[in-house]
Amino acid sequence: MPYIPHTHGQQQEMLSTIGVASIDDLFTDIAPELRPKSFDLPEGRSEMQVRSHLEKLAAKNNTNLTTFLGAGFYDHYIPSAIKAILSRSEFYTAYTPYQPEASQGTLQAIFEYQTAMCRLMDMDYANASLYDGGTAIYEAIMMAVRATKRKKIIVSECLSPIYRCMLDCYTTNLHLDLVTVPHKQGLTDIQALMDQIDEHTAAVVVQNPNFFGCINDFTSLFAKARENGALSIISVYALMQSVLKTPGQMGADIAVAEGQSLGLPLSFGGPYLGIMTCKGKLIRQMPGRIVGKTVDKDGREGYVLTLQAREQHIRRQKATSNICSNQSLCALQSLVYVSLLGPEGLKRTAHACIELAHYAAQKLTSINGITILNDQPFANEFTIRLPVSAYAIIDKLVPQGYVPGFPLGRYYQGMENCLLIACTEKRTKQDIGILVELMRGALE
Amino acid sequence: MKTIFAKSVPGRKGVWPEEPEGQITDFIPENLLRENLPALPEQSELDVVRHFTLLSRRNFGVDSNFYPLGSCTMKYNPKFMEDIANLSGFTDLHPLVPQLRGAGHYTQGALEVLYETEKLLCEITGMDAFTLQPLAGAHGELTGVMLMAAYHNYKGNKKTKIIVPDSAHGTNPASAAIAGYEVVSIESRDGIIDPQALKDALDDEVAGLMMTCPNTLGLFERHLREIVELVHSVDGLLYYDGANLNAILGKMRVGDVGFDVVHLNLHKTFGTPHGGGGPGSGPVGVNKKLEPFLPISRVVKLEDGQFFLDYDYPFSIGYIAPFYGNFGVILKAYAYILRLGREGLIRVSENAVLAANYLRKKLEDYLHIPYNRTCAHAMHEFVASAVKQAQKGVRALDIAKALLDKGHHAPTIYFPLIVKECLMIEPTETESKETLDQFVDDLIEILKIAEENPEAIQEAPVNTPVKRLDEVKAAREMILKEQDM
C-alpha cells in the first residue's frame, strides 16, 4: 500500500510484540454494531493516473482569460524565488512550533513577518496570521467588543460585501448591534459614519481603498471614534499599503488585510492570508499565535510562541479566539515576497498598477455612455457606469477571452449597470486597448 | 541568526520591476499617500533565498525527523500532491470567475474537484452532505456549532449549553463559547466519558455534545451508543471532532453511529502538509437534519453533468469563508484519497493503530501508561506519563527536550490536561519499524539517564540551534517585532 513501509514480516513481528494475532484484534473495542454500513470508495490509483486525472481537470479550467477582476483578490506577478523557498519541506512539513528549539526557522520567520506587517501598516503589533481578510475583520470586531465592553458596530457599506456577508454569519447568535452605513455613489459616507458613533459604539469599520476602489483619509473619522471611546478598524489592500497613507498615520486601532496580494496565487479562493495588526494597548485582546524574542540558557537570541494565556489550549472557553491552525506558510510566503521586492520594488509594482488603472479609466470613459462612478481618487481599481447591464457586457466579452470586471449588481441593488475594474502589473496597455475595443463593440 | 531586517542594506536591489514613468502623485493626491516607504528588507534575490534556506535548516519537519506529535497526525506528505496543487490551471483561477453569469463554464474542473471531494468525504464518514469551506479544524468546529445553533433556532428549541468532556482539545470549548454557548465540562472516568456524568449534566437546555473519538488519550469511547442515545433524548446534537479520524478510517463511520455533524482535518488525516502552523482545511459534514443550514455557496451537479454554484438555500447560515475553502489544500486531499482508494484508506487506520500499540507495548515497562485497562488496545495514539521520573526531577518537558537532541520531534506534552506529566505519542502509519525502534531505544536511553543523572536531561536540548529558551522573559518583555531603526 502506498506510503506504508512495513513488510508483511515486520507487521507480524509488531503484532507478536503487542501480543495479538492480527490487526483486526486491535480494533475489538469498536463493537460490531458500530462498524461501517458501507465504505464504497474507488480503488486506489497510481501516482501517474491520479496526476493525469487532475491535469485533465486543471485543463477544464480556462485560465487564459485576460481578467480585470479584482474585488479584493488580485492577479499580481509572483517571483520564482518564492516557490523555491516555499518548497523547502523543513518549512512546509513542520507543525505549529510547539517545541521552539526545533522550530527556530518557523518562529524567526513569523517574527520577521510580524515586523514586516507592522511596518507596512505603521502599527505596533501583528499576530502570526489569521485565515483570511474576512475572518480578520470578524476577529477585529470581537477584539473591540471585548476591549470596550460595548455592542454596537458601525460598518461602512463600502466594506467588501463578501466580508459583510461573513460578519452577518459570524455574529448571528452574539446579540451585537451591527449598523451598516450606506455608500454614497460608491463613496464611503464619512459624515454618516461619524453621526452613528455614540457611547454604545464598540467600533467603526471601514475599508481603504473601499470596495468601489475609492481612496480616503479616515483620520477625522478615527479621531471621532477615539473621542467616544470606540475603536477604529480598517481593512486595507496589503500591496497598495506600500504607497497609500497608512492605518497608523490615520490613527486606526486595528488594521487588517487580505494578504493574498503579497505573493500568493489566486488559487480559486485559498489558501489566503489574514493579516492582523493593532495598537499596543490591544495586544492582550489579540487572537491567534504571537511570536516573541527571548534568549536561551547561554544567552543566545531565539524565538518562542508567547502571550499564550490568550489562547484556546490554555484558556479553553475563556480564550480570545478558538483559532489554532492559521495560515503560517502563507505568512511566510508574504514575508518572502516583501523581502524580495523591498520597499522600492513594492512601490514600483503598486505604481505600475495605479498607472495602468488610470490609463484604463481614461480610455474606457472615452467610450460614449461610459462614465466613472465618482471623482474620488482611486489606486488600481475603479468603478464605471455603463448604459446597459454589466452582466450583458460580461456575457459578450467572456466568450472572447476577456473578463472586463466584477458586476456590482451581484451585491448592490441599483448598481446593475456598474462594473468594478482592476488592473495589476500583469495587464498591459495592449490588453486595455483590446478591452476598450471589445467594450465599444459590445455597446454598439 | 540575524533577522532579514538586520541584514538589510539601504539601496540594495531585489526583484524590481521597471520604474513606471511619471509620479504616483500624478494620480493620487499627496495627502492620501504614505509619508515614507515602509522599512522593509533591502536585499538581493540571493540574499533572500539564502536567508530563508538557512532559516529552514533550523526547523524539524516530517521530511527530516520523526514527528510523533500526538493528535496532530504528522504523517508523510506525498510529493505529487504539491505538484498537483501547483498546476496553473488551478493556481491562476480567480475565485470570482464562476460567480459571473455563465462563466461557471470556465471553472468546471475546479468545481468538479470540490463536488467529488465532498462525495468522497460523505462516503468515508457516512454523512449526507459536506461543506469544504471551513479553513482549518477550529474553523470547522465553529461552523459545526453554528449549524447546531441554526437547527435549534429553526426548531424553536431554547438551547444554551454545550457539553465538552475534560479530555477535549481546547478548541472545542473555545468554539462553543465563540458561537454563543455556555460550556459545560464533564469529568472523564477511566479516561473516557462517564455516562453518569453526562446524565447529570444533561437537560433540555443542552444543545449538544462535542466529542473526539478515539479521544485525546487514544482511547475508544466505549459507551458511545449510550452517549448518542442520551444526547439525542433531549434533542441534543452529537458533534464529532475529526482530529483523530486517522484511527477509524474504514472501521467506523461517524454518520452510521449517530453523529449529526463532524469536522475533518485534511491536514491531519488526508496527508496535506501542515505548513508550520497552516494552512489547514476543516470540512464539515452533516446528516439530513442539518443539511439545510450548510454555508453557501454549494456545488451542484446538473443533469447535463455541468457543475454550478448554488446560493439559493434560504436556511443557510451564510458565508463562513469568502469562497470555497482552502482550495489548494482540498486539491491535495482529493489527490490523496484517489491515490489510496478504499483499501489504502483502511490500511492507514490499521497501520496507524498497529504502530501506536507497538510503541505502547515497547514503552510500558519504562513509562507509566494511565488507563491502560479501559480499552483492550490503544487506537492511533496513546498517552504515557512521566510521573515516576518527575519524582526524581525529570519532567515530561525534560524528556521532550532530550528527544530533540536525538533528532526526534517531541510528542505532545501536558495534554490532555487530565493526565499528569503527560506525553501524547502518535507515530502514524507512514513511519517504518526501524524508525519506531530507534525512537524506543533513544527514549529508553533517556529514561535511564534520567534515573542516574537527571541534570543531564534537565540540560537538554544541547544539539539544537538554540538551547532551552526563556519563555517567561519573552512574555514579560514582549519583543514582538524587530525594533524600528
Side-chain angles (χ1 to χ4, degrees):
Chain A
M1 278 298 153
Y3 319 122
I4 293 172
H6 312 309
T7 63
H8 180 72
Q10 286 181 319
Q11 273 188 347
Q12 292 307 313
E13 263 181 76
M14 292 164 79
L15 288 168
S16 88
T17 302
I18 298 165
V20 293
S22 71
I23 284 183
D24 284 345
D25 291 346
L26 295 172
F27 286 89
T28 49
D29 290 307
I30 307 180
E33 69 268 23
L34 298 176
R35 294 310 176 105
K37 289 182 184 152
S38 111
F39 202 61
D40 185 16
L41 295 160
E43 289 309 315
R45 300 186 214 175
S46 71
E47 179 175 317
M48 191 170 77
Q49 287 169 328
V50 177
R51 183 196 290 260
S52 154
H53 172 63
L54 268 298
E55 279 170 352
K56 277 183 201 139
L57 289 180
K60 280 194 193 174
N61 299 319
N62 187 343
T63 45
N64 294 324
L65 295 168
T66 302
T67 105
F68 292 86
L69 271 180
F73 310 93
Y74 301 94
D75 181 25
H76 291 291
Y77 178 72
I78 302 173
S80 293
I82 292 185
K83 192 171 154 193
I85 292 167
L86 269 283
S87 302
R88 294 290 302 194
S89 67
E90 298 92 329
F91 282 130
Y92 80 77
T93 70
Y95 204 78
T96 301
Y98 293 131
Q99 291 292 336
E101 299 86 356
S103 315
Q104 285 300 297
T106 295
L107 286 161
Q108 183 171 330
I110 296 172
F111 182 83
E112 293 178 1
Y113 162 83
Q114 290 172 183
T115 306
M117 294 307 122
C118 287
R119 292 184 180 188
L120 195 58
M121 304 281 216
D122 254 337
M123 299 293 281
D124 296 331
Y125 293 121
N127 73 3
S129 76
L130 298 169
Y131 307 128
D132 83 305
T135 52
I137 296 168
Y138 152 72
E139 292 280 13
I141 283 174
M142 296 316 291
M143 282 172 76
V145 169
R146 288 192 299 271
T148 62
K149 301 192 167 58
R150 297 176 181 181
K151 301 217 152 181
K152 179 173 171 182
I153 309 288
I154 304 164
V155 180
S156 164
E157 200 187 9
C158 300
L159 178 68
S160 163
I162 296 169
Y163 295 160
R164 283 187 290 112
C165 287
M166 289 173 70
L167 287 184
D168 286 342
C169 173
Y170 283 94
T171 57
T172 303
N173 298 315
L174 302 183
H175 312 290
L176 298 180
D177 178 16
L178 219 56
V179 178
T180 304
V181 172
H183 70 93
K184 233 167 54 183
Q185 285 297 310
L187 294 172
T188 305
D189 193 343
I190 295 180
Q191 191 54 51
L193 286 162
M194 284 196 183
D195 293 345
Q196 277 289 346
I197 297 175
D198 58 24
E199 72 275 17
H200 304 296
T201 305
V204 57
V205 188
V206 292
Q207 179 174 320
N208 196 46
N210 75 15
F211 190 70
F212 305 93
C214 305
I215 312 172
N216 280 100
D217 177 357
F218 292 112
T219 306
S220 58
L221 173 67
F222 294 171
K224 173 91 192 270
R226 191 159 47 248
E227 284 159 24
N228 285 272
L231 298 188
S232 307
I233 298 170
I234 184 167
S235 169
V236 301
Y237 181 162
L239 175 59
M240 283 300 145
Q241 208 47 69
S242 59
V243 297
L244 295 181
K245 185 162 183 173
T246 62
Q249 281 178 289
M250 293 184 201
D253 295 292
I254 305 172
V256 297
E258 170 49 65
Q260 179 272 329
S261 59
L262 302 176
L264 276 67
L266 286 162
S267 201
F268 205 51
Y272 287 166
L273 167 66
I275 298 170
M276 166 164 275
T277 61
C278 72
K279 282 286 167 59
K281 62 185 177 189
L282 291 167
I283 183 67
R284 286 179 201 280
Q285 296 299 341
M286 185 89 103
R289 314 282 184 206
I290 297 172
V291 170
K293 193 183 211 173
T294 185
V295 294
D296 75 357
K297 280 176 125 168
D298 295 344
R300 269 178 305 190
E301 280 181 354
Y303 303 88
V304 293
L305 293 174
T306 193
L307 303 179
Q308 296 189 73
R310 302 163 296 109
E311 291 191 71
Q312 46 77 27
H313 59 285
I314 310 284
R315 289 291 292 281
R316 298 176 80 82
Q317 61 265 37
K318 294 197 176 76
T320 54
S321 168
N322 69 333
I323 193 166
C324 184
S325 288
N326 45 58
Q327 304 288 110
S328 194
L329 199 69
C330 304
L332 172 65
Q333 204 161 358
S334 73
L335 170 66
V336 176
Y337 181 81
V338 300
S339 301
L340 281 169
L341 276 85
E344 180 65 25
L346 289 173
K347 181 187 147 197
R348 288 183 177 196
T349 304
H351 187 172
C353 301
I354 292 166
E355 196 203 3
L356 270 180
H358 285 78
Y359 175 80
Q362 190 204 342
K363 292 287 172 191
L364 285 166
T365 51
S366 71
I367 300 173
N368 219 348
I370 296 183
T371 53
I372 198 144
L373 188 63
N374 60 51
D375 296 333
Q376 190 69 14
F378 59 90
N380 70 327
E381 196 162 21
F382 58 97
T383 303
I384 56 171
R385 194 181 280 286
L386 301 159
V388 297
S389 153
Y391 277 115
I393 295 295
I394 287 169
D395 289 348
K396 285 187 181 166
L397 264 61
V398 172
Q400 301 182 70
Y402 274 71
V403 182
F406 186 72
L408 287 173
R410 167 101 176 78
Y411 286 106
Y412 292 92
Q413 265 193 349
M415 298 191 90
E416 286 71 20
N417 290 6
C418 292
L419 194 61
L420 178 64
I421 298 171
C423 292
T424 68
E425 74 281 14
K426 285 173 79 175
R427 301 290 83 83
T428 62
K429 287 192 174 170
Q430 202 185 357
D431 291 337
I432 291 166
I434 297 170
L435 175 72
V436 170
E437 285 321 303
L438 290 174
M439 200 90 104
R440 206 189 296 277
L443 288 174
E444 267 168 14
Chain B
M1 201 176 129
K2 270 189 184 177
T3 68
I4 195 159
F5 296 93
K7 292 173 179 172
S8 183
V9 179
R12 181 166 291 170
K13 201 171 165 179
V15 178
W16 284 5
E18 289 295 302
E19 181 154 36
E21 285 167 30
Q23 299 292 320
I24 296 178
T25 45
D26 298 342
F27 308 111
I28 300 172
E30 205 159 343
N31 67 316
L32 296 175
L33 296 173
R34 65 184 292 156
E35 283 164 12
N36 303 304
L37 289 183
L40 293 167
E42 295 180 73
Q43 294 274 273
S44 70
E45 184 169 330
L46 172 58
D47 291 337
V48 174
V49 169
R50 188 165 293 158
H51 175 76
F52 288 103
T53 302
L54 292 176
L55 265 192
S56 77
R57 286 157 63 173
R58 294 162 73 83
N59 247 18
F60 281 27
V62 172
D63 283 5
S64 50
N65 307 81
F66 179 44
Y67 218 119
L69 195 64
S71 266
C72 300
T73 314
M74 293 298 278
K75 61 172 76 177
Y76 173 63
N77 312 124
K79 299 305 162 197
F80 83 105
M81 290 152 55
E82 299 300 313
D83 287 348
I84 282 168
N86 279 323
L87 291 171
S88 65
F90 295 125
T91 55
D92 295 353
L93 208 50
H94 197 293
L96 286 169
V97 169
Q99 297 188 28
L100 309 175
R101 197 170 63 189
H105 178 62
Y106 297 92
T107 62
Q108 285 297 303
L111 295 179
E112 186 171 339
V113 167
L114 296 174
Y115 183 84
E116 292 298 330
T117 306
E118 285 180 14
K119 286 281 158 287
L120 291 166
L121 295 180
C122 282
E123 183 60 23
I124 289 169
T125 57
M127 304 307 288
D128 292 316
F130 257 88
T131 172
L132 302 178
Q133 289 180 25
L135 302 167
H139 199 221
E141 291 177 26
L142 179 59
T143 306
V145 176
M146 285 165 61
L147 291 169
M148 291 162 70
Y151 167 85
H152 289 306
N153 288 342
Y154 175 77
K155 289 193 72 179
N157 293 344
K158 291 265 175 295
K159 301 282 193 180
T160 56
K161 299 186 275 196
I162 283 189
I163 301 179
V164 179
D166 58 2
S167 63
H169 296 112
T171 48
N172 287 180
S175 299
I178 278 160
Y181 284 103
E182 181 194 334
V183 176
V184 180
S185 178
I186 54 167
E187 244 179 80
S188 305
R189 201 178 64 190
D190 301 330
I192 57 176
I193 294 177
D194 174 8
Q196 189 54 49
L198 177 60
K199 270 183 210 161
D200 295 344
L202 267 186
D203 60 33
D204 287 338
E205 290 183 359
V206 170
L209 168 73
M210 296 181 84
M211 192 167 168
T212 308
C213 182
N215 68 15
T216 58
L217 290 146
L219 299 175
F220 190 80
E221 290 287 354
R222 287 181 38 231
H223 309 296
L224 182 58
R225 289 190 70 88
E226 190 182 352
I227 292 165
V228 170
E229 278 168 26
L230 281 170
V231 174
H232 281 163
S233 72
V234 296
D235 201 11
L237 297 166
L238 261 295
Y239 183 97
Y240 182 87
D241 178 326
N244 294 345
L245 189 79
N246 214 48
I248 59 162
L249 282 173
K251 301 294 175 187
M252 182 179 94
R253 300 196 312 168
V254 295
D256 293 343
V257 301
F259 284 95
D260 300 288
V261 50
V262 49
H263 91 262
L264 307 181
N265 298 75
L266 299 186
H267 51 284
K268 294 181 179 177
T269 317
F270 297 99
T272 74
H274 194 261
S281 174
V284 167
V286 292
N287 59 16
K288 287 268 184 271
K289 274 200 276 195
L290 295 177
E291 185 174 355
F293 310 107
L294 281 177
I296 45 176
S297 59
R298 297 187 57 191
V299 190
V300 175
K301 189 174 185 177
L302 301 174
E303 278 176 10
D304 63 359
Q306 293 279 304
F307 299 92
F308 97 109
L309 290 171
D310 194 349
Y311 285 82
D312 189 16
Y313 292 90
F315 300 107
S316 167
I317 59 169
Y319 282 47
I320 194 78
F323 299 108
Y324 327 110
N326 275 339
F327 181 72
V329 180
I330 293 163
L331 260 177
K332 293 179 199 179
Y334 175 57
Y336 178 85
I337 295 168
L338 292 183
R339 173 87 178 91
L340 267 66
R342 181 180 181 280
E343 283 292 310
L345 290 173
I346 295 172
R347 300 296 167 252
V348 163
S349 60
E350 290 182 343
N351 286 282
V353 170
L354 176 70
N357 280 286
Y358 178 70
L359 280 188
R360 187 170 84 152
K361 186 72 189 174
K362 293 275 241 181
L363 292 170
E364 70 182 7
D365 294 338
Y366 303 91
L367 284 166
H368 173 59
I369 310 286
Y371 310 119
N372 62 347
R373 292 207 177 83
T374 301
C375 294
H377 299 285
M379 295 297 285
H380 69 304
E381 68 186 0
F382 67 100
V383 161
S385 164
V387 276
K388 279 186 288 184
Q389 288 74 15
Q391 289 166 1
K392 294 210 170 176
V394 173
R395 305 190 56 208
L397 179 76
D398 303 313
I399 295 168
K401 301 300 183 197
L403 281 166
L404 302 181
D405 274 340
K406 300 282 189 187
H408 307 296
H409 195 279
T412 298
I413 51 172
Y414 300 108
F415 185 83
L417 308 173
I418 59 176
V419 173
K420 279 183 189 155
E421 297 302 329
C422 179
L423 294 144
M424 184 205 232
I425 303 173
E426 180 181 9
T428 83
E429 73 281 5
T430 59
E431 295 293 342
S432 70
K433 182 169 175 297
E434 290 79 4
T435 301
L436 302 179
D437 287 338
Q438 187 65 52
F439 176 74
V440 168
D441 291 346
D442 290 337
L443 184 49
I444 290 172
E445 190 188 324
I446 289 165
L447 297 174
K448 280 193 178 137
I449 298 172
E451 272 189 24
E452 294 150 14
N453 182 13
E455 292 80 14
I457 304 299
Q458 289 157 348
E459 274 299 305
V462 294
N463 298 334
T464 45
V466 290
K467 291 188 180 175
R468 222 175 276 198
L469 290 155
D470 187 344
E471 298 193 11
V472 175
K473 179 184 163 79
R476 193 179 56 233
E477 297 187 354
M478 291 213 303
I479 303 171
L480 310 180
K481 62 175 179 179
E482 184 97 342
Q483 290 313 296
D484 296 335
M485 280 167 283

